Amino acid sequence: MSTVEATTTALVTESAPDNKTRRYDRQLRLWAASGQSALENARILVVSGGATATSILKNLVLPGVGHFTILDPLPVTPEDAGNNFFLDGLNSVGKSRAEEGVRLLLEMNDGVDGKADTRSLEEVLDTPGGKEWLGEFTLVIAVNLEKGPLERLAAVLWEEESFPPLVVVRPAGFLAEFYIQYHEHTVIESHPETAQSLQIDRPFPALLDYAMSLDFENMDVTDHGHVPYVVILVRVLEEWKKTHDGLPPQNAAEKVQFKKNILAMRKKPDEENFEEAEAQAYRAWTKTVVPSETRALFDDAKVISPSSVEAPFYKLVRALKKFVEGSGALPLTSTLPDMKASTSAYIDLQKLYKTRAEEEKEVFRGCLSEACGGDIKAIGEDMIDAFVKNSHALKLLRGKRWAALDEDHEALVLATQTSSKQLAVHLALSALSNFLAKSKTSGQTLSAEALTAEAQKLLPDGTELPEEFEDCVGEVVRSPTAELPNTAALLGGLVAQEAIKMITRQYVPINGYCIVDLVETWTGIL
């Protein structure tokens, strides 16, 4: 083999992705290595081995969740064999639902660990150490549980903030809802649609010097047509300020004139970079500010009052607050959007932003060191980098206990006016849960009238049920505990998606009830 061939072979070998990267390539583009690592270290408990539960797990096993346990004491029935794709048909009848589900789910990904637990939830809750066992999981998902055990589980997991979040899923025929119970959830990488400010209105010294140093009049025509719009805007804005008391355009007329000044710099009428600069001109007069949601974090009680056991998120926010107090803005981003520019001009601009971003990150690290008492090793460089990069879109969500809505009469009355369709489904499912709990002793037969009476009890006196309730209650009576394959499949995707958001702490999970109506094919949040 020649030297060239050997070198080429070595390069190809070194750059070739490993098996895991090839397997998870598409999802790594969504949540990167940090998200995948969180997923692979997660431990999921699913209470139920029914069709919906296994559909949810399928969508967690395929992307590589570390471990899952199915907690279910029931055997497979002929009905299960008919609606659950993760059973071996009639061959599974009579066997453990948990064991059969685990066995067949593990065939989908040999990198995942799964376990079947044939105890009942009540047995776990009554066993010494049961609470601690539940606390070992990253997330608990409960599907179609009876009211009593579900309320006990929700209460246990709500006792301490360190206990895992609980996802409650309630399907009934073509209707369903799910809810995530958690105390608080912090998100650094929320993946917003809006990009961080390029701070064109307050250019850093190196960017300003670069923009002012370019000789636009004597520049080669080709180079002139490939100057990045950021540089054009900085240059035009600086020239504008010289004749307007140091201020950017203040009113509509001035903004129109500012755009004319941009286009007047063209050497040819078809220079797209100047047209792009005109389209992006608003960046020049839009003041760089700290987003209100981020600024609100600065006044959060946990940021103001440090704790010895606080999460790294609050130390990072405290450091960010100090950074903003010193600089007046968030740390500069090193990520630039696509723009009309030559490769060399774009790289030059990128280098300027990257150098400045690194300088500001060092300043932030100093603020963080002060917030941490000098020790920032526990936080880690990856988290610091992610925080600085996403400081414009930080999220702090505070949730509520499961079923808190049903106890909040004021919120229910408001929902009848603002979210009547969603509330109708929720009331029908809650009424069913209450009815089934009572019918064990009363022996009452399920009917639309009985569920309507139960739903009315949830509302304050004098409040009418939503108009849509009649249709919803009809579907619930038709299939009160049925887990239909198509409903299970849709819920499997929706719930797994939200579970991954919670596990990876990326993207923003729902905060409320997600309502599903496959009769009229819509979803909504209550």
Side-chain angles (χ1 to χ4, degrees):
M1 182 183 292
S2 68
T3 303
V4 173
E5 290 175 331
T7 303
T8 303
T9 302
L11 288 172
V12 171
T13 303
E14 290 175 2
S15 62
D18 57 24
N19 289 334
K20 181 185 291 187
T21 302
R22 284 197 295 268
R23 172 184 287 183
Y24 299 135
D25 175 64
R26 290 190 177 184
Q27 65 200 48
L28 285 171
R29 303 180 195 189
L30 290 175
W31 53 68
S34 59
Q36 187 64 31
S37 176
L39 190 62
E40 292 175 3
N41 287 308
R43 293 174 52 83
I44 308 298
L45 172 64
V46 178
V47 188
S48 172
T52 304
T54 52
S55 290
I56 295 168
L57 279 172
K58 180 261 292 185
N59 291 296
L60 293 173
V61 168
L62 285 174
V65 70
H67 170 89
F68 71 90
T69 294
I70 296 180
L71 180 68
D72 191 334
L74 300 177
V76 176
T77 64
E79 290 77 11
D80 291 323
N83 69 5
N84 192 338
F85 296 139
F86 294 93
L87 293 174
D88 190 13
L90 294 177
N91 293 328
S92 293
V93 174
K95 299 178 182 178
S96 164
R97 282 207 309 185
E99 292 174 354
E100 284 293 277
V102 169
R103 178 176 68 84
L104 294 166
L105 283 164
L106 289 179
E107 291 181 1
M108 306 184 74
N109 192 335
D110 57 10
V112 173
D113 177 50
K115 180 182 178 182
D117 192 323
T118 56
R119 294 178 296 171
S120 67
L121 177 60
E122 293 91 333
E123 186 178 350
V124 170
L125 294 174
D126 292 336
T127 301
K131 293 182 181 180
E132 290 72 18
W133 182 76
L134 290 171
E136 294 175 359
F137 291 94
T138 309
L139 186 71
V140 178
I141 302 174
V143 183
N144 245 10
L145 295 190
E146 294 180 358
K147 181 180 180 181
L150 175 57
E151 288 182 341
R152 287 188 64 191
L153 176 63
V156 166
L157 295 180
W158 189 254
E159 284 180 4
E160 298 181 24
E161 288 192 26
S162 60
F163 282 168
L166 169 66
V167 184
V168 178
V169 188
R170 299 199 298 190
F174 286 116
L175 302 180
E177 70 174 12
F178 68 90
Y179 180 89
I180 308 175
Q181 170 184 286
Y182 58 86
H183 283 277
E184 68 177 32
H185 183 72
T186 58
V187 183
I188 293 175
E189 298 178 73
S190 62
H191 300 269
E193 294 183 1
T194 55
Q196 195 164 344
S197 172
L198 296 174
Q199 300 187 15
I200 292 173
D201 64 308
R202 41 171 290 165
F204 52 92
L207 175 60
L208 180 59
D209 291 344
Y210 177 73
M212 300 306 294
S213 69
L214 296 181
D215 186 356
F216 281 88
E217 291 186 5
N218 298 314
M219 190 179 294
D220 177 79
V221 174
T222 301
D223 293 338
H224 192 272
H226 290 86
V227 177
Y229 78 78
V230 172
V231 177
I232 296 172
L233 289 178
V234 171
R235 176 64 170 265
V236 176
L237 179 61
E238 189 63 20
E239 297 291 349
W240 175 277
K241 287 180 178 179
K242 291 178 181 178
T243 57
H244 292 80
D245 299 324
L247 297 174
Q250 299 295 300
N251 52 50
E254 289 188 354
K255 291 172 183 177
V256 169
Q257 184 58 50
F258 184 85
K259 291 183 177 182
K260 289 181 179 179
N261 292 358
I262 294 172
L263 296 179
M265 294 178 66
R266 293 181 298 182
K267 287 190 174 183
K268 296 191 302 181
D270 61 346
E271 288 183 315
E272 295 181 354
N273 57 329
F274 284 90
E275 293 175 1
E276 187 175 44
E278 181 198 22
Q280 299 291 329
Y282 70 92
R283 293 177 181 269
W285 59 71
T286 300
K287 187 177 180 180
T288 297
V289 296
V290 178
S292 58
E293 196 168 357
T294 301
R295 190 171 288 280
L297 292 175
F298 298 162
D299 298 324
D300 189 86
K302 289 189 176 182
V303 173
I304 296 173
S305 304
S307 166
S308 59
V309 293
E310 66 184 355
F313 180 84
Y314 295 104
K315 295 178 181 178
L316 289 163
V317 172
R318 197 173 298 120
L320 183 64
K321 180 180 181 180
K322 186 172 183 61
F323 179 93
V324 170
E325 289 172 349
S327 68
L330 297 175
L332 185 71
T333 179
S334 61
T335 303
L336 296 179
D338 291 335
M339 59 188 75
K340 304 290 183 182
S342 64
T343 302
S344 59
Y346 187 85
I347 290 175
D348 287 343
L349 181 63
Q350 197 170 47
K351 286 179 179 178
L352 290 173
Y353 269 86
K354 187 172 183 179
T355 300
R356 179 65 178 187
E358 288 296 325
E359 292 172 357
E360 294 195 0
K361 188 172 76 171
E362 284 304 309
V363 175
F364 175 81
R365 284 170 58 86
C367 297
L368 181 60
S369 179
E370 185 176 331
C372 296
D375 182 17
I376 64 174
K377 292 181 180 179
I379 294 180
E381 285 299 320
D382 289 343
M383 181 176 285
I384 294 173
D385 288 344
F387 187 88
V388 171
K389 181 180 178 181
N390 297 281
S391 59
H392 66 298
L394 305 172
K395 302 292 181 182
L396 172 57
L397 307 178
R398 290 202 163 96
K400 294 183 179 180
R401 178 177 53 82
W402 157 251
L405 175 63
D406 292 344
E407 301 168 5
D408 188 342
H409 286 180
E410 185 176 337
L412 288 172
V413 172
L414 179 62
T416 61
Q417 303 166 6
T418 60
S419 308
S420 60
K421 287 202 307 182
Q422 294 90 326
L423 181 63
V425 176
H426 173 73
L427 289 175
L429 293 172
S430 292
L432 174 65
S433 178
N434 293 344
F435 175 86
L436 293 177
K438 295 176 181 178
S439 64
K440 286 187 173 182
T441 55
S442 68
Q444 187 178 1
T445 303
L446 180 65
S447 65
E449 292 74 17
L451 289 189
T452 300
E454 286 294 336
Q456 193 65 65
K457 293 176 185 177
L458 294 170
L459 297 175
D461 292 340
T463 304
E464 295 184 358
L465 291 166
E467 292 181 5
E468 299 88 348
F469 181 79
E470 184 176 351
D471 292 334
C472 294
V473 79
E475 174 61 16
V476 170
V477 170
R478 185 183 71 85
S479 49
T481 57
E483 296 185 38
L484 304 182
N486 44 0
T487 307
L490 178 62
L491 282 174
L494 292 175
V495 175
Q497 172 182 276
E498 298 305 313
I500 289 172
K501 291 178 184 178
M502 297 294 293
I503 293 166
T504 61
R505 292 187 177 273
Q506 294 190 33
Y507 300 92
V508 183
I510 62 167
N511 195 359
Y513 290 85
C514 179
I515 308 296
V516 177
D517 183 343
L518 290 184
V519 177
E520 297 186 359
T521 62
W522 58 265
T523 62
I525 302 297
L526 176 62

